[in-house]
Amino acid sequence: MTCRVVVLLSGRGSNFQAIAEASLPIEIVAVISNRPQAAGLEYARARGLTAVALDHTQHADREAFDSLLADEVERHQPDLVVLAGYMRILSSAFIARFDGRLLNIHPSLLPMFPGLKTHERALAEGIKIHGCTVHFVTADLDHGPIVIQAAVPVRADDTPATLAARVLQQEHRIYPQAVRWYAEGRLEKKHGHVNLKDDLTSQSVFSTGT
Ligand code: GAR
């Protein structure tokens, strides 16, 4: 059975694009954005996918907006909900409703640098290895069980932009991989931990060396 995926995004949508183009055993049943102008919605429409804009600025209250959002997501009966640059904190009620079928990508090697401006902060700290993480979402912001990570060496002449670009390349590699494992029934969140079947754990870390 094909895995039904709903994508939530707020902007550019390059991770969504990487997933959409990766020939995975999934059906993207809806792409939903809290920002009506998100480029990711345009791309969804161009691919003939269902694209939904739910403008959060029209709703004063986070709980009320998230409840509406959760109803919209549920309407598409997803097996998996993929956060692909969804730049709003989700309420705990939303997260509980999709527990175990909610994935996020974050541009750092979590638990380092949760939150925003990860590349700037990585450079300011002078760390030598940066990267990105796919994890199950829990109520603890950017701290859910880790599925897969890719490491990217920091160069002496890196700017936030050059570092972000190299990390993004790896994001486009590890997110489709995580979605594939989930769709194939080889990835689950169990008792608060990641369970990767078929001895896939060795494949859940990448190092680019560049
Ligand atoms: C990506 O770098 C993603 O990791 C990050 O936003 C960018 C979205 O780019 N997500 C977060 O920071 C979530 N905390 P995209 O729209 O091109 O996929």
Side-chain angles (χ1 to χ4, degrees):
M1 206 182 66
T2 312
C3 177
R4 296 172 64 84
V5 174
V6 167
V7 176
L8 298 188
L9 52 78
S10 302
R12 182 176 55 183
S14 72
N15 275 289
F16 152 51
Q17 205 167 323
I19 290 166
E21 290 172 2
S23 76
L24 302 172
I26 62 170
E27 183 186 352
I28 298 176
V29 289
V31 179
I32 304 171
S33 178
N34 63 310
R35 294 192 183 278
Q37 306 310 324
L41 282 183
E42 274 306 305
Y43 176 78
R45 287 189 200 103
R47 276 189 83 96
L49 298 172
T50 300
V52 181
L54 272 184
D55 188 349
H56 72 272
T57 63
Q58 302 303 309
H59 304 265
D61 173 47
R62 184 184 302 278
E63 301 295 325
F65 176 76
D66 273 14
S67 154
L68 208 88
L69 179 67
D71 287 346
E72 178 61 31
V73 171
E74 199 75 83
R75 205 166 69 75
H76 301 283
Q77 301 180 301
D79 301 303
L80 176 65
V81 180
V82 166
L83 304 182
Y86 184 73
M87 300 308 281
R88 262 175 75 81
I89 293 173
L90 288 164
S91 65
S92 50
F94 184 101
I95 292 167
R97 203 157 149 187
F98 298 101
D99 184 37
R101 49 185 176 136
L102 189 53
L103 288 177
N104 183 43
I105 187 147
H106 185 76
S108 78
L109 290 176
L110 291 174
M112 269 191 290
F113 310 122
L116 299 174
K117 297 197 180 297
T118 55
H119 310 301
E120 285 88 333
R121 288 154 64 205
L123 290 174
E125 291 289 351
I127 62 168
K128 302 293 183 193
I129 298 173
H130 190 40
C132 48
T133 304
V134 175
H135 65 98
F136 280 104
V137 177
T138 64
D140 201 2
L141 180 69
D142 292 335
H143 278 289
I146 291 170
V147 175
I148 184 166
Q149 292 186 306
V152 174
V154 179
R155 294 180 188 155
D157 60 351
D158 261 329
T159 63
T162 59
L163 186 54
R166 291 205 316 289
V167 170
L168 193 64
Q169 281 179 5
Q170 298 309 311
E171 294 187 38
H172 296 165
R173 196 167 154 198
I174 65 172
Y175 216 177
Q177 177 67 274
V179 170
R180 175 182 298 283
W181 286 339
Y182 189 93
E184 291 174 349
R186 301 198 288 172
L187 165 66
E188 64 178 358
K189 175 170 166 273
K190 205 172 177 183
H191 309 306
H193 291 281
V194 165
N195 186 19
L196 258 179
K197 297 180 184 147
D198 308 327
D199 202 20
L200 290 171
T201 307
S202 63
Q203 294 175 42
S204 63
V205 58
F206 282 119
S207 176
T208 66
T210 58

